[in-house]
Each structure stands twice: as structure tokens, then as C-alpha cells.
Amino acid sequence: MKAIEITQYGAPEVLKLTERARPELKPGEVLIKVSASGVNRPDVLQRIGQYPVPPGASDLPGLEVAGEIVEGAQGVLEGADNRWGLKVGSRVCALVQGGGYAEYCTAPLAQVLPVPDGLSDVEAASLPETFFTVWSNMFDRARLGENEAGEKETLLVQGGTSGIGVTAIQLAVALGHRVFATAGSEDKARACETLGAERGINYKTEDFVAVTKELTKDRGVDVVLDMVGGDYLPREVQALAFDGRIAIIALLGGSKATLDMGALLRRRLTVTGSTLRPRSVAFKAAIARNLHDKVWPLLAAGKIRPVIYQTFPAEQADKAHALMETSTHVGKIVLTW
């Protein structure tokens, strides 16, 4: 099969088209003929040597794919764990630990979902990494829901036009939450509003603490989904309401921060962080069930739409990574095979 490998750590040009043997199935897995592969920030970090490959995972980059099941490990498609009746020939998308930049990719059946009705393979390939990450952090860890008065809680998304950002905005809005989002230009701030955010905040010209405080009548927001870290963290603490939560999922602004611990104590705040890639299949399977039951119907009904910024032929993965690093995109970048 054709695949894209990281020949050495470095700039996008280290990504090269190569020939590899098809991956061998392990118990519980299916083999997917890939038609599209999502491009994500962790792929860039892996390329530059800052995102180690978990033991036993493929060294090829790529954490999400869409395509067609062509084979299953012994008994996997006939077993009770095949919750959605998938079979050879089913159109699917999947979250994987690696190996997504290839014509064929294996995935645990528990992390494979049917393509939502009405979506193309390119759109489907943009779903798993962002939706698994957003659900796990925004709902499971940060517990975005209702406050003590029974009112829907408010959300601030940092980096609203990233793949994670457009997913978080749309999903929270579809479930009835007020959403505010930061972005790096006026055009991007307006794009956040087009996606459903009540207010897009240009972080280069505006103070997100002041804006969110004003919009919430000085109460603050209940949850912050943070991809920045660094010096954003103490400011996010200022922006939180009592009992507020911050979920950190990336550190684009740095891994060090100074916190007012007294504020955390007085205002009962929670700061949490996580990475998804090394978690167990069972952990990811629980997320998959929630997505299938609660989010896939929203996608099929068109209440949430994948936002595809640009596609590239797989052999131009270097150009896709170069675009990712500019941060000029709004939504997802996808490779096609």
C-alpha cells in the first residue's frame, strides 16, 4: 500500500510517500480501505518529535480515517460488540492511535463508527479526532451541562476556528449552550459567530476576560475549553464563574503557568487536562457510544456540519502540514487517497 511516513523529525518536507505492507489485524480490529485521512495538530507535533508514538502503535502519522471495511479479525464482525451491525463493505470512520496516513489502516472495532447519513468520506474523516476529544473533555471532564438553577451553562472556546474549535462551538450550541470563542482576526471572529457562537472575540485586539464578563453580567463563564495554556491560564481563571472548570487539551502557548491558588479555593474552581491518544480502547469505546447516540443524529439531521477548509492529495501531505502550521485555516484539513 501507499503511505506517508516521517523520514526524520523536522519541517513538513520530511513527510514522504512510500510503499508499506498492509497492516496486520490484531484481535478485535477491522481493516479499513482508507479514502480520506484527517490532519490534526498532534500529527504536526509527531512530525517534529514532540508527540511520542504509544507502544504498539504504527509509526505512520494519522489519527482519524474514513473509508470502507474490507476485513475483520476472526469473529469481530459477528460478535456482540458489533453494536451497529458493521460488515465488510460498510462505510465507516475511525479513531486510531496512528497509521491513518495510508491506503489501509487497522482500527479496534470499538473505535469505528458508521458514516453519518448524508456525509461524504472527506467529511467523515474530519470527525473522529475532534469529536472524541471534544466530548471527552467538554462533557466528561469539564461536565458542561446545567447549573444549580437548571440553566444551561456557558462555554468559552479558545481557538474557535481550529478543527477542535468549530466542533466544540457547533456541538455546544446544538445542545443549547451559550458559547463565546476567541480567534486571531476579525474575519475568524465572525466565522465563529457564523458557526453559532454568540460572540467571536479577536484576541489580538480584545480582552477575552473583559468581553466574557460583560456578556455574562460579570458572572463569568462556566467552562473554558483551552488549547493554549501558558499565560492564558491565569486569565481564564479570572473569566470563570464560581464552580467553573477549565479543560486543557493542548499547550500552544506553553506548558508553564502561574495560578492564583487562593482564587481556586475561594471560587471552587477546577483545572483539568488530558490527552486522548494513550487511553485504552475501552475508554474510547465509551466515548464512541455517546457520540453515536447523542451526536451522530445531530450530524445526520444537519444540525452540525463538518467544516472542511481544504483537501490535499495524500502525496501532498507536506503542503497540508505547512497550511496547518500557518493557523490561517477555518475548520479541518483532509488528505484524500
Side-chain angles (χ1 to χ4, degrees):
M1 68 176 185
K2 294 179 181 178
I4 301 296
E5 66 180 3
I6 301 170
T7 55
Q8 63 185 68
Y9 295 139
E13 291 73 26
V14 304
L15 296 172
K16 299 294 184 183
L17 185 67
T18 188
E19 293 280 339
R20 289 278 187 102
R22 292 185 187 181
E24 295 185 2
L25 287 167
K26 299 174 184 176
E29 291 186 336
V30 295
L31 180 66
I32 299 169
K33 186 178 189 301
V34 177
S35 57
S37 312
V39 177
N40 294 282
R41 188 73 60 174
D43 304 341
V44 173
L45 295 177
Q46 181 177 332
R47 194 201 73 225
I48 62 177
Q50 295 183 7
Y51 200 56
V53 176
S58 171
D59 65 302
L60 298 174
L63 301 176
E64 58 185 351
V65 298
E68 178 182 311
I69 293 177
V70 293
E71 187 181 353
Q74 184 174 5
V76 68
L77 294 174
E78 295 76 35
D81 290 337
N82 188 0
R83 294 175 175 270
W84 303 299
L86 300 176
K87 57 187 179 181
V88 171
S90 292
R91 292 179 62 231
V92 295
C93 56
L95 180 74
V96 296
Q97 276 198 318
Y101 287 15
E103 288 185 308
Y104 291 86
C105 182
T106 56
L109 181 66
Q111 296 169 205
V112 178
L113 287 158
V115 172
D117 291 344
L119 266 60
S120 67
D121 284 353
V122 166
E123 290 173 317
S126 77
L127 301 178
E129 172 66 12
T130 51
F131 277 86
F132 273 75
T133 299
V134 167
W135 187 273
S136 177
N137 287 278
M138 199 163 74
F139 294 107
D140 291 342
R141 297 188 70 83
R143 307 183 311 282
L144 182 67
E146 295 183 350
N147 61 24
E148 292 181 353
E151 302 165 332
K152 291 283 188 177
E153 292 184 319
T154 53
L155 171 71
L156 171 63
V157 177
Q158 304 285 23
T161 55
S162 66
I164 291 286
V166 300
T167 297
I169 291 170
Q170 290 193 85
L171 183 51
V173 169
L175 295 176
H177 298 275
R178 294 178 69 195
V179 179
F180 317 112
T182 62
S185 70
E186 289 299 319
D187 287 346
K188 284 191 169 187
R190 302 293 80 77
C192 292
E193 294 170 357
T194 299
L195 291 167
E198 182 175 320
R199 177 74 148 78
I201 304 165
N202 182 352
Y203 64 77
K204 294 182 179 178
T205 60
E206 298 180 285
D207 177 1
F208 68 80
V209 178
V211 173
T212 52
K213 284 281 193 176
E214 179 183 358
L215 292 169
T216 58
K217 298 180 180 178
D218 207 40
R219 180 181 178 276
V221 296
D222 297 293
V223 171
V224 178
L225 187 63
D226 179 18
M227 290 167 268
V228 183
D231 62 7
Y232 267 47
L233 194 56
R235 297 165 61 201
E236 289 166 351
V237 167
Q238 296 175 37
L240 282 178
F242 273 75
D243 295 303
R245 290 86 69 195
I246 299 170
I248 303 169
I249 59 172
L251 301 170
L252 297 176
S255 61
K256 305 292 184 182
T258 300
L259 282 181
D260 179 354
M261 302 300 290
L264 267 66
L265 291 173
R266 291 190 305 272
R267 295 166 53 212
R268 306 182 299 273
L269 307 180
T270 300
V271 179
T272 182
S274 71
T275 57
L276 184 61
R277 190 179 191 181
R279 299 302 295 266
S280 69
V281 172
F283 179 86
K284 295 170 186 174
I287 302 173
R289 292 193 293 271
N290 276 322
L291 291 176
H292 183 269
D293 294 345
K294 300 171 184 177
V295 180
W296 258 224
L298 297 174
L299 286 159
K303 294 181 179 179
I304 301 173
R305 293 296 301 181
V307 180
I308 308 300
Y309 183 77
Q310 191 168 344
T311 63
F312 291 87
E315 61 268 22
Q316 295 179 15
D318 57 335
K319 294 182 179 178
H321 274 226
L323 173 59
M324 172 72 73
E325 290 180 326
T326 68
S327 294
T328 58
H329 58 292
V330 176
K332 292 296 293 274
I333 302 167
V334 177
L335 303 178
T336 57
W337 293 90

